[in-house]
Amino acid sequence: MSNEKTAKVVWSGTDLQFHGTLGSGYQFELNSNAGPHGGSPMEFLLAGVAGCTAMDVISILQKMRQDVHEFYVEISGLRAEQHPKVYTEATITFVVRGRQIKEENVARAIELSETLYCSASQMFHRSGTKITTTYRIEEV
């Protein structure tokens, strides 16, 4: 199986709006002026990091047999003022809701994602983006 991933974006003919298709077949809309009809490419970068680390963390917590009922990741990023306006900082918040969730397991799952598994967040780290990670455990 190849490690190659693909994507294609096609200009809609209007402003800076594009229709995208991933190699998997998933389709989406891109728009320079992000809104309900399309996210911006930079928003998709944040979503990629959040999704990558979320998949790692929930998988690890499941292997640790944690009783997770709800789990989500929020991410926000600050961009440089000057072009190419890369992300200079990002804050990632993990929220784990469940029964008797062990704090040390959540911390370890996040650490493993950050340092070993999540290629998307590693791309941020390696580009110099300062990433701040927090988590919250809520008993249900």
Side-chain angles (χ1 to χ4, degrees):
M1 183 169 198
S2 173
N3 286 328
E4 181 182 27
K5 301 293 181 191
T6 63
K8 178 180 179 180
V9 295
V10 178
W11 181 48
S12 70
T14 307
D15 299 321
L16 296 177
Q17 297 176 8
F18 291 80
H19 178 78
T21 305
L22 302 181
S24 63
Y26 180 77
Q27 297 185 21
F28 58 95
E29 303 302 317
L30 283 171
N31 193 329
S32 178
N33 296 318
H37 301 293
S40 75
M42 295 303 284
E43 287 178 314
F44 277 103
L45 280 175
L46 288 177
V49 171
C52 179
T53 193
M55 289 179 195
D56 292 340
V57 171
I58 194 63
S59 175
I60 294 165
L61 290 175
Q62 289 172 335
K63 288 175 183 160
M64 293 175 166
R65 300 192 187 286
Q66 296 297 282
D67 188 11
V68 178
H69 293 222
E70 183 181 349
F71 172 73
Y72 60 93
V73 176
E74 296 176 330
I75 187 169
S76 63
L78 292 175
R79 294 176 64 192
E81 295 289 327
Q82 301 298 317
H83 287 285
K85 297 185 181 182
V86 297
Y87 283 110
T88 56
E89 297 178 35
T91 301
I92 304 172
T93 302
F94 297 83
V95 179
V96 183
R97 297 187 77 227
R99 294 182 194 268
Q100 300 178 341
I101 304 295
K102 294 181 181 174
E103 184 173 349
E104 61 270 16
N105 286 351
V106 173
R108 181 67 177 145
I110 292 168
E111 177 190 18
L112 286 169
S113 178
E114 286 182 337
T115 61
L116 186 61
Y117 295 118
C118 182
S119 51
S121 63
Q122 280 298 313
M123 291 178 72
F124 264 30
H125 278 296
R126 292 179 185 181
S127 71
T129 304
K130 179 186 173 215
I131 298 177
T132 302
T133 302
T134 63
Y135 61 87
R136 187 169 69 244
I137 299 170
E138 299 174 356
E139 187 73 19
V140 294

